[in-house]
Amino acid sequence: MKGRMNNSYGEVLIDTEVIANYAGSTAVECFGIVGMAAVNVKDGLVKLLRRDSLTHGITVDILENKLILNFHVIVAYGVSISTVSDNLVSSVKYKVEEFTGMEVDKINIFVEGVRVID
C-alpha cells in the first residue's frame, strides 16, 4: 500500500520503498547505530547491510494513512541500547513526518546484534 496525501493540486502517492530508504538513511546517522541488519530466518544468521541495501532491514506498513516502521539494527558495543533507541525513534519520527507529511504511528526496533566499532 502507498501513502497518500491530498493537496489543492491533486493526490500524492508515496511508495513504501521510498519511505524505508529515507528512514534507513536517517537511522544510520544516529549515534550508536552501526547499521541495518538482514536476518536469514532459515539459518538464524544476521548480516550487516551495506549503505545501498538499507531497505532490507526496514519494513514499512501503512494503516489508515499512518506509518508503522520496523527497524532491524546492529548497535555499537558499549552504548546504552535504550538511549540509542530513544534517539533513533525521535530522529526518525521527526524527519519521516516532515519528509512525507504523514503521521508515524509506531516505531519498533529489533536489536539483532552488537558490533565493536573502531
Side-chain angles (χ1 to χ4, degrees):
M1 179 177 215
K2 297 183 183 203
R4 295 179 185 274
M5 289 188 313
N6 292 313
N7 61 26
S8 60
Y9 300 111
E11 185 175 56
V12 178
L13 299 174
I14 305 172
D15 191 76
T16 56
E17 189 82 10
V18 173
I19 297 168
N21 199 355
Y22 186 79
S25 297
T26 302
V28 295
E29 292 174 357
C30 294
F31 172 77
I33 300 292
V34 176
M36 295 294 119
V39 180
N40 184 336
V41 178
K42 180 182 167 192
D43 300 330
L45 298 175
V46 175
K47 182 174 99 174
L48 180 64
L49 296 170
R50 293 184 313 218
R51 193 145 174 86
D52 58 345
S53 304
L54 292 177
T55 57
H56 295 298
I58 302 169
T59 57
V60 177
D61 294 315
I62 302 173
L63 296 172
E64 298 174 6
N65 216 34
K66 293 183 181 179
L67 299 171
I68 299 171
L69 305 170
N70 295 310
F71 288 87
H72 295 269
V73 298
I74 296 176
V75 297
Y77 177 80
V79 298
S80 167
I81 292 176
S82 64
T83 303
V84 170
S85 298
D86 290 343
N87 184 26
L88 176 74
V89 167
S90 63
S91 291
V92 168
K93 182 173 174 30
Y94 173 75
K95 288 186 178 181
V96 169
E97 285 181 345
E98 286 295 310
F99 178 67
T100 63
M102 299 169 63
E103 181 183 345
V104 174
D105 187 38
K106 192 183 294 186
I107 297 176
N108 299 310
I109 301 171
F110 301 93
V111 177
E112 300 293 350
V114 176
R115 281 256 165 104
V116 177
I117 54 175
D118 298 333

